[in-house]
Amino acid sequence: MTDHEHEHGHDRTDRTDGAADVSTGTSTESGDSAAAIPELVIISGMSGAGRSTAAKCLEDLGWFVVDNLPPALIPTMVELGARSQGNVARIAVVVDVRGRRFFDNLRESLADLDAKGVTRRVVFLESSDDALVRRFESVRRPHPLQGDGRIVDGIAAERDLLRELRGDADLVIDTSSLNVHELRAKMDAQFAGDEEPELRATVMSFGFKYGLPVDADLVVDCRFLPNPHWVPELRPFTGLNEEVSSYVFDQPGAKEFLNQYTELLQLVAAGYRREGKRYVTIAVGCTGGKHRSVAMSEKLAARLATEGIETVLVHRDMGRE
C-alpha cells in the first residue's frame, strides 16, 4: 500500500490577529516582556500505528515530550512552558482517545489553545486494519479497546472515535508500509528544519577480560598495540596519564588507526542519520580496559566532538584491577 501523507489547508502557524497571550500568572505592571509561547505538536492516531516512534523522534530533535497527558491539561502544560524563560520552546504531547468524554476534553483544549494564539499542529498516525492486526498479533497484546471481542473490533471502535480528530489533523502519516526508520525520516522531514538531525555518541573503553559491553553498536580492538602493562614504570597508571598516552600513540599504527577509524565513523554517522538512528555506542577495548583502550577512547571522543557529534566518554573498567 502506498503510504499516504498530507497536510490540510487550515494552516495554524499564524494566529496573532486578536489572539491573547498565554497567561503566565505574573503581573503585567512589572514591565517584563510577554512570555514566549511554546510551539506545540499533538501526536495522536491509531494504537499500533507508531505514536511512540514519532514522539521519540521529536524528543531526539530537542522537543519536550509528554506521553499520555490528559487533554484538559494541555493548556496548563503550554502555560508552564511559557514561564520557562525559553527553556521549553517546543512541546510535544502524545494523546489517545479512548472515550467520548476524553475526546470532548481534547476538542475543548484545542479551542482554548487556538483562542490563546498557540502555534500547534496535530499529527495523526494512520495504518490499515491488516497492518495493525499483524502488529498486535506479533507482540501478542490485545487492542486497548477490544474488550472481550477481537482485535479488529477494537480497531473499528478506535477508528470511529478518532474520525473527527483525523479530519482536523494537520499532518496524517500512513505507516501501513513504513518501517521505523522510514517513519522517523518522515518526522525529521517535517520537524528537523534545515539542520541535519543530531547524532549523539557514547565512547566507552572496556577490558575484554571483563566481557563485551552488551549495548555496544561498534567494537574497536586495541590489542594490536603493545601493552603498557608490561612497562614497569607505566603499569600503575592509566590511559589518562600523559606518559601512558604518549607511549600508546608512539607505537606503529596507533595514530594511523585513530585517523582512519575517525574517517570511517564519519561515513557511518552519515548513514545512521539517514536511517534515523540518533544514538551510537562505540566500545573501545583492550585486555584490561586500563591503558590502551582508555588512551584511544580519549582521543577518539575528542575527534568526534570536533566533527560536531555530541559525545559522552565512559571508562567502564578503569580501576577494576
Side-chain angles (χ1 to χ4, degrees):
M1 180 179 295
T2 303
D3 37 300
H4 170 65
E5 179 177 352
H6 71 274
E7 294 192 35
H8 290 270
H10 45 84
D11 185 5
R12 297 190 178 97
T13 59
D14 186 5
R15 294 194 184 91
T16 57
D17 294 342
D21 288 336
V22 172
S23 171
T24 62
T26 57
S27 172
T28 56
E29 297 176 359
S30 63
D32 294 337
S33 58
I37 302 176
E39 183 180 355
L40 175 68
V41 166
I42 297 172
I43 299 173
S44 190
M46 300 297 295
S47 299
R51 292 184 310 232
S52 297
T53 298
K56 189 64 172 66
C57 181
L58 291 185
E59 185 177 44
D60 291 344
L61 292 173
W63 290 67
F64 184 86
V65 177
V66 185
D67 197 6
N68 291 329
L69 183 71
L73 295 180
I74 294 176
T76 302
M77 189 71 231
V78 173
E79 180 177 339
L80 292 174
R83 295 180 182 179
S84 70
Q85 299 179 343
N87 293 322
V88 182
R90 298 183 297 175
I91 298 173
V93 177
V94 183
V95 299
D96 54 68
V97 183
R98 301 189 182 185
R100 177 58 56 186
R101 183 176 179 181
F102 192 90
F103 178 77
D104 289 342
N105 288 339
L106 177 58
R107 184 167 48 194
E108 292 169 4
S109 295
L110 293 179
D112 186 19
L113 294 169
D114 290 346
K116 291 177 177 178
V118 177
T119 299
R120 54 96 169 170
R121 280 186 281 178
V122 176
V123 176
F124 191 96
L125 280 299
E126 174 67 278
S127 193
S128 68
D129 287 2
D130 289 344
L132 293 175
V133 169
R134 286 196 303 270
R135 292 168 190 173
F136 277 105
E137 289 181 341
S138 68
V139 296
R140 298 184 178 182
R141 293 177 56 190
H143 188 280
L145 295 185
Q146 77 179 70
D148 296 330
R150 302 172 300 165
I151 292 176
V152 291
D153 297 327
I155 293 172
E158 185 176 36
R159 203 177 290 283
D160 183 60
L161 287 171
L162 290 171
R163 185 170 288 109
E164 186 173 345
L165 179 62
R166 187 190 188 283
D168 289 338
D170 299 278
L171 175 65
V172 176
I173 302 178
D174 188 335
T175 67
S176 302
S177 59
L178 301 182
N179 61 35
V180 171
H181 301 311
E182 290 167 336
L183 174 55
R184 293 184 66 105
K186 285 184 175 291
M187 292 295 293
D188 282 345
Q190 291 293 326
F191 297 101
D194 296 330
E195 297 180 3
E196 189 175 20
E198 185 179 11
L199 178 67
R200 299 177 178 90
T202 297
V203 178
M204 177 188 299
S205 68
F206 75 97
F208 277 96
K209 71 178 183 179
Y210 299 114
L212 288 170
V214 295
D215 57 344
D217 297 295
L218 303 169
V219 177
V220 179
D221 188 351
C222 293
R223 291 175 296 182
F224 72 95
L225 297 170
N227 194 347
H229 175 80
W230 303 114
V231 181
E233 59 269 26
L234 298 180
R235 182 179 301 176
F237 301 107
T238 71
L240 299 178
N241 181 270
E242 181 60 35
E243 293 181 358
V244 173
S245 181
S246 296
Y247 174 86
V248 170
F249 283 98
D250 282 343
Q251 303 304 317
K255 294 177 181 177
E256 292 81 0
F257 178 83
L258 175 63
N259 292 336
Q260 294 182 31
Y261 193 69
T262 301
E263 292 182 6
L264 176 62
L265 287 178
Q266 292 172 4
L267 180 65
V268 172
Y272 277 164
R273 290 189 179 101
R274 288 192 299 270
E275 289 298 309
K277 187 176 178 63
R278 298 290 170 263
Y279 301 94
V280 59
T281 297
I282 305 164
V284 183
C286 62
T287 303
K290 179 180 179 180
H291 296 112
R292 293 165 291 181
S293 63
V294 172
M296 185 65 71
S297 294
E298 290 282 330
K299 297 288 188 182
L300 182 60
R303 290 284 186 90
L304 294 179
T306 61
E307 298 295 332
I309 299 175
E310 183 178 328
T311 306
V312 175
L313 186 60
V314 177
H315 298 303
R316 191 192 74 173
D317 298 325
M318 190 174 66
R320 293 188 66 168
E321 291 187 346

